[in-house]
Amino acid sequence: MGPWGGFLSGLCDNVEYVLTPAVICFFIGSYLGSMFATGLPDWCWWIATYGLFLALNIRGIALSFRVTVVITIISLGILMLFCGLSFPHIDIDRWALNIGADGRELAEGSGPLFPFGIEGVLAALPFAVWLYLAIEETPLAVEESIDPRRDLPRGILLALVTLILTAFLIVAINPAVDGVGSYKLGTSGEPILDGFRALYGNAGAIPLGIIALSGLIASFHAIIFGLGRQIFALSRSGYFPAPLSRTHKVHKTPHLALLTGSALGLAIMMTLWVVLGGKEAAPVIGSVLLNMAVFGAMLSYILRAISFIVLRRRNADMPRPFLSPFGQYGATAVIAISAVTLFYQLQDPNFSKGVLWVIVWFATASAYFALRGRHRLMLSPEEVFAFQQKTGPALEPARS
C-alpha cells in the first residue's frame, strides 16, 4: 500500500504495543495494591513493574524467552487450578445471571442471558477483543526462530487455540462462583483475585492471587518484547528516528526502542493519574488506556486485512508459508468486526477521554514522517519485492 500505508499500519501497531503493556501494568498495580494494602500509590507499582521487565528484556533474548515460557506455564496451571477448584461452587443462574435489564443487581439471580440485548453484546466487543490483543506480535520473533516457515504458523495457531479455551473457561466460570457474580465483576480491577477471595477468603486469596499474577506478568513481559522489536523495526526501515534502532553494545538488544516505548507508556499513565484525580479515578484510567489500545489495534487489523486482500489479488501466485483457510472472506470479516468495535468504542464516554491523545500521537508522528521519515526510507527485502512487481527487477534494496 506504499510508504504511507506501511507507515500508518506501523503507527497503529505502535499505539497498540505501547498502550497494551501500560494497561496490563495498571492491573498488576491494582492486584498488588489490593493484596498488600501498603498504602503506596499505584504509580509506585507501575514504575517497579516496568523497571524489572525492562531489565530482563535488555539483558538478552534467551533469558527473556525462558522467563516468558516459565511464567506462561505457571499462568496456565493457575487458570486450570482455578477452574477445577471453582467447579463445585458454580451457580450460573444465581450469580452469572444477576444483572437485570435495567442494569441493577438481582439479589436472587435468574436474570436474562443478555440483559442489555444485542446492543450490550456489541458494546462489550472492545473488552472481548482485549482478551486476544497482541497475539499478532508472534511474527516479531521471526529473527529468533529456527525455522520461521514452520514455527510461526504453528505458534500462532496454538496460541490462538489456547486463548480461546482459557478465555471461554474464565469468562464463563468466574462470574458464576458463589459470592462473586457478574454485577460485582463489572467494576472489579482484579477479577480472578475476587474469585479466589470468594472461595478461600482474604487469607487464602493472597498467596493464590500472587501466583495468579503470573498471567498478567507473562502478558506484560511478552508484549514489552514486542514493543521493543516493533519500534526497532520501524526505526531500522526509516519510518521512525534512526537512533531508536541502535542496539546494546553488550547484549545486542534494542535497548533504546525498549526504553523509549516503555517511557512513553508510563508517561501516559502518570499523566492520566494526575489529570483524572489519582486513586479515585483509577478504574477510569484502566478503561481509558484499554480503549486507546484497542483503538490502535482495530485500525491496525483493518489495514492488515486490506493489505492481505491486496496481496491476494496482485500476487496470487506468490509463495506463502501459510495459507489462510478463510481467504479474502476472512479478511473482509476482520474489517467488519473491527469497524463495529470502533463504532461502539465511540459510544463509550471513557473512550473520548483517550482518543484525543491517540489523535495527537498520530498527528505528531505523521508530521515527522511527512517532513523527514519518508525521505530516508531503507527498503526491506519484502518492500523491494513489492516494488519489483510494479517497476521490474531493476530496483535494488537500499541496504543489505
Side-chain angles (χ1 to χ4, degrees):
M1 296 188 291
W4 275 101
F7 168 74
L8 291 174
S9 181
L11 188 58
C12 292
D13 279 344
N14 184 246
V15 171
E16 177 189 354
Y17 289 152
V18 168
L19 291 176
T20 300
V23 182
I24 298 170
C25 184
F26 167 82
F27 284 109
I28 289 175
S30 179
Y31 267 77
L32 291 172
S34 176
M35 285 189 293
F36 295 111
T38 60
L40 291 173
D42 288 1
W43 54 263
C44 292
W45 298 111
W46 301 345
I47 293 173
T49 301
Y50 266 108
L52 173 61
F53 290 100
L54 265 176
L56 285 173
N57 274 279
I58 292 174
R59 177 64 178 78
I61 296 301
L63 174 63
S64 178
F65 279 8
R66 288 191 189 104
V67 171
T68 299
V69 170
V70 171
I71 296 176
T72 301
I73 291 173
I74 293 173
S75 172
L76 289 172
I78 287 297
L79 290 179
M80 294 302 100
L81 176 65
F82 174 77
C83 291
L85 294 174
S86 301
F87 200 76
H89 305 278
I90 289 175
D91 187 339
I92 294 176
D93 186 65
R94 168 66 182 84
W95 294 105
L97 303 179
N98 71 338
I99 300 178
D102 58 357
R104 296 181 181 180
E105 182 178 13
L106 301 177
E108 302 301 323
S110 301
L113 183 61
F114 303 118
F116 306 111
I118 188 64
E119 288 288 317
V121 174
L122 294 175
L125 272 177
F127 299 91
V129 167
W130 174 253
L131 295 173
Y132 302 91
L133 215 62
I135 187 177
E136 74 281 359
E137 80 167 40
T138 307
L140 292 172
V142 64
E143 294 180 0
E144 279 71 42
S145 177
I146 296 173
D147 184 358
R149 294 174 63 90
R150 182 200 66 178
D151 296 341
L152 292 184
R154 182 182 298 177
I156 293 171
L157 290 173
L158 287 173
L160 187 58
V161 170
T162 303
L163 280 175
I164 290 172
L165 292 175
T166 53
F168 177 82
L169 287 172
I170 294 302
V171 171
I173 291 175
N174 201 23
V177 173
D178 293 344
V180 181
S182 296
Y183 185 86
K184 180 180 178 180
L185 289 186
T187 56
S188 173
E190 51 278 340
I192 291 291
L193 187 59
D194 283 339
F196 279 127
R197 282 195 185 108
L199 293 172
Y200 299 104
N202 281 327
I206 289 178
L208 289 171
I210 293 173
I211 302 174
L213 268 174
S214 59
L216 290 172
I217 291 171
S219 298
F220 183 82
H221 184 54
I223 300 172
I224 285 290
F225 164 82
L227 162 67
R229 285 311 169 103
Q230 199 263 348
I231 295 176
F232 169 79
L234 289 176
S235 170
R236 184 173 59 179
S237 297
Y239 292 101
F240 278 8
L244 294 176
S245 57
R246 293 176 184 168
T247 56
H248 195 278
K249 292 182 179 180
V250 177
H251 305 302
K252 309 303 179 184
T253 50
H255 63 300
L256 291 181
L258 285 163
L259 289 168
T260 302
S262 299
L264 180 57
L266 183 58
I268 292 171
M269 296 174 73
M270 298 292 286
T271 301
L272 289 172
W273 176 271
V274 173
V275 171
L276 297 179
K279 187 70 176 179
E280 293 73 20
V284 178
I285 295 173
S287 180
V288 170
L289 288 172
L290 185 147
N291 273 290
M292 290 170 69
V294 172
F295 177 71
M298 293 303 98
L299 292 177
S300 168
Y301 295 169
I302 289 172
L303 289 172
R304 288 179 190 218
I306 293 172
S307 178
F308 178 92
I309 293 171
V310 170
L311 277 172
R312 276 291 179 94
R313 293 183 176 178
R314 291 183 182 173
N315 305 96
D317 298 326
M318 183 179 71
R320 291 167 167 83
F322 176 79
L323 285 174
S324 168
F326 305 107
Q328 296 183 47
Y329 296 105
T332 303
V334 168
I335 294 172
I337 295 169
S338 299
V340 170
T341 302
L342 285 173
F343 174 79
Y344 278 93
Q345 277 193 290
L346 293 173
Q347 318 306 313
D348 185 347
N350 286 325
F351 177 75
S352 61
K353 296 184 178 75
V355 69
L356 179 61
W357 293 93
V358 179
I359 292 173
V360 171
W361 196 329
F362 271 76
T364 304
S366 297
Y368 166 81
F369 186 70
L371 295 173
R372 179 171 173 79
R374 66 191 179 93
H375 301 297
R376 53 180 296 275
L377 291 180
M378 305 178 72
L379 301 182
S380 69
E382 296 85 358
E383 290 168 319
V384 172
F385 174 81
F387 279 115
Q388 285 177 346
Q389 304 307 300
K390 300 178 182 179
T391 63
L395 187 65
E396 294 296 332
R399 61 179 174 81
S400 60

